[in-house]
Structure formats: structure tokens, C-alpha cells
Amino acid sequence: MAEQTRAKRPPRLFTVSAVQRLTPHMIRVTFSGPEIADIPDGCEGANCKIFLPEPSQSKDSFARQLEEGPRPTVRTYTVRHQRQGLGEMDIDFVDHGDAGPASAWARAAQVGSFCGFAGPGPVKVESYYAKHYLVVADMSALPLAAATLEAMPADARGTAIFDIPHAQDQQDFRIPEGIEQHWIVNADSHAPTGEIVDMVRGLDWPAETVQVCIAGESTMIKELRQHILVDLQTPKQDVYISGYWKIGLIEDEHQKAKRLEASAA
């Protein structure tokens, strides 16, 4: 007899306990509650799904919707910090105004606000074994980059390149001293300058193993994937590279395009 498929767990209901404006374009939302206590520590940098209530929706109504449907608006985010013992989790939201539903929710969030949460998935870099590292991220992937850099061994060496819309969006991470930082300011993320791609292409690529963690806008990702995997012949097992968004597409459209691209590869 065929094994029965395990019922999929409905999203957890998370409640906001703190909101902090980290930089002009980044908002940190802290969630607290017993729903977080069974999520293991060590998931920083992992993807999760945030389910967004309607602006005027009550918590009871949203809880029923998470259980019974229909599916709310969903966006993908990254776990920035997880404190299992305290039942707390931080998720950083890019503030790009009220046009996007997740940005609008984070801008309006206050203590007692709520959303749904599913995940987290696996961390993107599970182990650190290289002689050199390359980390590249725009604002959408800064939480991933920060978590990756903070998990590296203290003697790690390499390069980290960040694309931000304003000089004041620079953040202080616990980066190993051997990682050289570059912060590129581009006020319009929808008009990429190509500076990151040029900088990566200009790196003196070491002969030893290089671990790579890159995420951001898909056009940039496509060029960097070609350079790192094809031109430099970096082994795939040493590379995490992913498009987190694409100019002109909302997340649902971008995810569909990624699936089509993967199926055609």
C-alpha cells in the first residue's frame, strides 16, 4: 500500500515584538512567541516565506485564513537572527515604499502586528572550507550576505561587495578581518551600473579553492554566473548564486521565470 503523504503544516502565526529602522532602506522586524521556540538555532541566512495579512484584517480572521485558505499574499525573505532560547527571530525588510506589499507591511508594523511564517529552508552555505571567499549582494540579499560572513571562520580571507541605494545604508557586520569590503552606492536599483560585475571580473582569482555566495537582481546574477561557473570554471559545489528578484517583475512572476529557466537548463 502506498505510503500516505504527510499533511503539510499550515504557516505559523508570528507576532511582532519590536521594529527597528536599521538604515534609511532597511527595517528589522523582531518576532517573539512560543511558535518560534521549536525552530532550531543556526538557521540564519535560510529562506522563509512571509504570509501577509490585509491592512485592516483582524488577527483571528488571519489565523483562520492561514488554516483554511485562501492563501494570503506571500513573499520570500531571509532569517537574519534566530534566538531559540528566547523565542525570537529577526527578519530584515528592504524599505522601497508602499508599492510592494511586504515593504508596506514592514513600514506599518508595530508591536502586536502579525503575519504568517513558513520555513525556514536549509542554509545556503553549510560549511566553510575554502582558502578564499567571495560574497556579493544587493540590498535584497544583505541578510544572506551578513549571515554568511558572520558564520565564517575568523581567519577567512576574501572579498565582499555590496550594492546599496544610499551611503547611509551601509551596515556593520561581524566580518573577519581578512575579508575586504566594498560598498557601492547606486541610488536607482532598477538602473544597474554594472559596477559589481566589472569589479568581480577584475578580481585576481586565486588558484586555491574559492567559495562563492552571490545573490541579488537576476540580470547581474546571470552575468556573474557565466563568469564564475563558465569563464573561471569554478566547481558548482563551491558556488551558491541565486537571483532574488528581477527588474520589472513582481515576486510571483520572477519565481515562475526561474522555474522555467531551470527546467530548460
Side-chain angles (χ1 to χ4, degrees):
M1 184 173 64
E3 183 179 351
Q4 290 185 340
T5 302
R6 182 184 298 177
K8 189 173 182 179
R9 173 176 179 164
R12 297 173 171 89
L13 182 63
F14 273 16
T15 303
V16 175
S17 59
V19 180
Q20 178 185 2
R21 172 74 61 170
L22 292 179
T23 72
H25 295 92
M26 189 72 83
I27 301 169
R28 174 164 296 167
V29 178
T30 299
F31 301 96
S32 300
E35 304 83 7
I36 303 173
D38 64 342
I39 300 175
D41 280 331
C43 61
E44 288 84 356
N47 282 356
C48 61
K49 298 293 184 182
I50 298 296
F51 296 72
L52 300 166
E54 295 297 324
S56 60
Q57 192 169 12
S58 71
K59 192 172 186 178
D60 287 343
S61 169
F62 185 64
R64 287 194 301 272
Q65 185 178 357
L66 291 178
E67 291 279 350
E68 303 170 5
R71 193 173 192 244
T73 298
V74 182
R75 291 294 182 264
T76 305
Y77 276 86
T78 300
V79 176
R80 181 63 184 91
H81 297 115
Q82 159 73 354
R83 297 175 291 277
Q84 183 188 32
L86 298 175
E88 293 181 347
M89 179 181 289
D90 299 332
I91 296 178
D92 293 351
F93 293 76
V94 178
D95 180 359
H96 45 77
D98 289 333
S103 174
W105 180 87
R107 284 162 59 89
Q110 55 188 320
V111 174
S113 296
F114 52 89
C115 68
F117 176 95
V123 297
K124 303 308 180 185
V125 182
E126 296 182 347
S127 60
Y128 298 87
Y129 51 80
K131 294 288 186 180
H132 301 270
Y133 296 88
L134 173 63
V135 176
V136 179
D138 63 14
M139 282 291 286
S140 71
L142 272 186
L144 167 65
T148 300
L149 289 160
E150 290 175 354
M152 286 181 183
D155 61 351
R157 304 186 63 82
T159 303
I161 306 172
F162 309 108
D163 181 281
I164 53 177
H166 193 282
Q168 293 181 2
D169 286 310
Q170 183 171 336
Q171 297 184 35
D172 291 327
F173 307 138
R174 299 192 314 273
I175 295 180
E177 291 184 3
I179 301 293
E180 182 179 350
Q181 300 180 56
H182 301 273
W183 293 85
I184 297 172
V185 177
N186 175 23
D188 186 0
S189 62
H190 287 75
T193 65
E195 190 173 350
I196 282 183
V197 175
D198 291 342
M199 185 174 290
V200 172
R201 285 176 172 162
L203 291 175
D204 185 11
W205 203 256
E208 300 93 347
T209 299
V210 180
Q211 274 186 270
V212 177
C213 180
I214 298 178
E217 199 279 323
S218 287
T219 303
M220 173 189 74
I221 293 302
K222 184 176 181 179
E223 294 185 60
L224 292 178
R225 181 181 286 116
Q226 168 71 29
H227 177 65
I228 290 169
L229 292 176
V230 180
D231 300 341
L232 296 174
Q233 293 290 296
T234 307
K236 286 186 177 180
Q237 65 266 23
D238 298 335
V239 177
Y240 172 79
I241 183 165
S242 180
Y244 275 17
W245 65 286
K246 185 173 178 60
I247 294 172
L249 299 182
I250 63 172
E251 177 167 331
D252 294 342
E253 295 169 337
H254 177 233
Q255 293 296 335
K256 182 178 180 180
K258 286 181 68 175
R259 289 192 294 270
L260 289 173
E261 182 179 327
S263 65

